[in-house]
Amino acid sequence: MAEKQVTAGEPADLNRASVEELILLIGISESIAESIIDFRDANGGFDCVEDLMEVECISESSYQRIRLKVIV
């Protein structure tokens, strides 16, 4: 059975979402989405949504915009 893909308006799982799925979120550019995936790959995933603050290009304002649109 294929994995369910994220659609606009649904929260994206930081440990599973593709670049394309992350881009669907408000406030997520392609470069931010790629940075999230690079961080995930380098660190073995996210333990909690707050780990987004460890991603180099995520500012406090970016985090506040997207934190309720992602899950772990």
Side-chain angles (χ1 to χ4, degrees):
M1 177 181 259
E3 278 191 41
K4 180 180 180 293
Q5 295 216 339
V6 174
T7 59
E10 292 183 20
D13 185 327
L14 290 173
N15 290 318
R16 296 176 186 224
S18 67
V19 168
E20 294 79 13
E21 290 169 332
L22 290 171
I23 290 171
L24 289 174
L25 299 174
I26 295 170
I28 300 288
S29 67
E30 183 173 351
S31 63
I32 290 175
E34 289 171 351
S35 293
I36 289 170
I37 290 176
D38 290 345
F39 179 90
R40 176 178 77 196
D41 292 345
N43 295 285
F46 291 88
D47 292 324
C48 60
V49 172
E50 291 79 15
D51 287 346
L52 275 173
M53 293 299 296
E54 301 297 321
V55 178
E56 188 174 317
C57 68
I58 303 285
S59 66
E60 177 68 29
S61 61
S62 294
Y63 173 74
Q64 292 300 325
R65 250 191 344 264
I66 64 175
R67 69 184 176 88
L68 298 177
K69 299 185 182 299
V70 292
I71 59 173
V72 174

